[in-house]
Amino acid sequence: MAVDVVIIGMGYVGLPLAREAALRGLSVVGLDANPDVVAGLNAGRSHVDDLHDSDIAEMHEHGFRATSDADVIADADATVICVPTPLAEGGLPDLGPVNAAAASIAAYLHPGMLVVLESTTYPGTTDDVLRPMLEAGGLVAGEDFHLAFSPERIDPGNATYGVRNTPKVVGGHTPKCGARAVEFYERFIDTVVQTKGTREAETAKLLENTYRHINIALVNEMSRFCHDLGIDLWDVINAADSKPFGFQAFYPGPGVGGHCIPIDPNYLSYNVRARLGYPFRFVELAQEINATAPHYVVQRAQDLLNDRGMPMRGATVLLLGVTYKADIADQRESPAHPVAKHLYDHGAHVQFHDPNVETWRFQGHDLNRVADLDAALADADLTILLQNHREYDLASISRGARLLFDTRGVTEDGANVERL
């Protein structure tokens, strides 16, 4: 039976894409190598933040199913690769999952099929890595089948912009490939933007995240010298943000997290060094600044305790919010991990609370979150607000904490409150 699209990888990118396509009337099959993920989806259970079990049930009503059997690709008009590309040693993306997906597609590739890569990677991957694997069986991209790249733009926890109303960038191996990919995505996405080719689409994704990475590094560095100069950076940013043109507000914090911001710019930096022989200095400097943000937070925490006659060693430090972003459960690359490590290295007793996380795996074991937040605030020598989840009552936290270090600039000034 013909299938409109097989989406490979049922994670934070692939599953929301599958839902939107299914709800718009496409026949969709989710292909995932993890049998537990497949079993959960077929039983109506969601494993990503932005989708609930009711969303999966609605997908089933529209014919969605999940499988680990790659032979479903044989019946697909289109396949979309949404597998992870973690950072490997040396700054190169680990293309192992992409290569595995490509091998599965190559085994069932047929004339007229559209193949789209959505996994974030360095420029040239679609044409130089994916295309040769697909063409090994004799079919030629641009002639016998269509090949394109379309960067994912999923923003977990964003209630305003999702798959359907976020413009979709698409670049084809040839103009004909690009047109075929645009036609596919226009079936369930409001706006599709076509680039000249796959490399432009690949680089657009990296530019988006590099822009954010560099501007976050700028305010993270400003937060350090503003503190030393006695300047309230949060007030500075609010004042600058009153300008209706030429400025976009970015805010300092304990570090950057998730898959995109701390990782994607490195793909571009690696590619520039490997292919051109010189550094992408903005990215490398931003990486250096943002990577040291957790250490700076702990330095400030240590100073706060010292000012009150307490050493860090033996102090009880409560961390609030250990996810990389507010109002989600995702802990990938969360700055809470290096913050906790530095605190442990200084001899502190670390506790945590997060309304979205029941257990937090740290240094090889699970830490149970504190059960009574009010009691934990009263008992902790220092509380550090790392993530401003909407479930937190900031006024109550400020009143209840013996000493509060706010790394998000969201609390009011007070004798027991210090902001980054």
Side-chain angles (χ1 to χ4, degrees), residues 2 21-23 71 74 132-133 163 169 194 237 241 245 251 342 346 352:
L23 266 56
D71 59 4
M133 294 184 67
V163 172
V169 171
Q194 186 173 356
I237 294 172
D241 198 32
F245 54 89
Y251 300 92
H342 290 311
H346 282 78
F352 92 94

Side-chain angles (χ1 to χ4, degrees), residues 123-353:
T125 301
T126 306
D127 282 349
D128 300 338
V129 178
L130 185 59
R131 181 173 61 87
M133 294 184 67
L134 298 175
E135 291 184 338
L139 297 180
V140 178
E143 297 179 11
D144 302 308
F145 69 96
H146 306 285
L147 178 64
F149 180 83
S150 180
E152 59 88 4
R153 283 175 159 177
I154 297 293
D155 186 19
N158 192 324
T160 302
Y161 290 103
V163 172
R164 180 183 57 79
N165 65 346
T166 300
K168 195 82 169 106
V169 171
V170 172
H173 170 63
T174 65
K176 185 177 178 182
C177 291
R180 172 69 179 89
V182 168
E183 178 187 24
F184 165 72
Y185 281 112
E186 282 183 337
R187 296 178 66 183
F188 59 98
I189 292 177
D190 292 347
T191 304
V192 180
V193 179
Q194 186 173 356
T195 62
K196 288 184 176 180
T198 58
R199 284 174 171 80
E200 286 76 14
E202 290 163 338
T203 308
K205 166 68 173 181
L206 300 182
L207 176 60
E208 293 171 12
N209 288 329
T210 299
Y211 168 80
R212 294 174 63 192
H213 188 50
I214 289 173
N215 280 282
I216 292 169
L218 170 65
V219 293
N220 274 338
E221 186 159 41
M222 286 192 70
S223 73
R224 303 180 192 190
F225 67 73
C226 280
H227 171 70
D228 292 339
L229 294 173
I231 298 170
D232 187 335
L233 177 60
W234 304 98
D235 193 47
V236 170
I237 294 172
N238 288 337
D241 198 32
S242 67
K243 187 178 181 181
F245 54 89
F247 182 82
Q248 179 181 353
F250 286 82
Y251 300 92
V256 293
H259 180 275
C260 293
I261 304 304
I263 294 179
D264 292 358
N266 289 290
Y267 298 162
L268 191 54
S269 178
Y270 174 88
N271 197 240
V272 170
R273 275 192 177 274
R275 302 188 66 172
L276 302 179
Y278 53 80
F280 191 168
R281 289 180 292 173
F282 268 119
V283 168
E284 295 181 4
L285 179 59
Q287 180 65 24
E288 177 185 336
I289 294 170
N290 288 333
T292 59
H295 183 259
Y296 175 69
V297 166
V298 174
Q299 281 186 318
R300 289 281 302 277
Q302 188 173 30
D303 291 342
L304 287 172
L305 289 170
N306 286 341
D307 289 344
R308 287 158 177 78
M310 292 181 289
M312 176 74 79
R313 183 169 298 279
T316 297
V317 179
L318 172 64
L319 302 181
L320 300 184
V322 297
T323 59
Y324 85 84
K325 186 180 179 183
D327 305 320
I328 65 173
D330 195 346
Q331 301 165 46
R332 290 177 298 171
E333 308 298 328
S334 171
H337 288 272
V339 167
K341 183 181 184 304
H342 290 311
L343 289 170
Y344 269 108
D345 290 345
H346 282 78
H349 299 300
V350 180
Q351 300 177 335
F352 92 94
H353 180 276

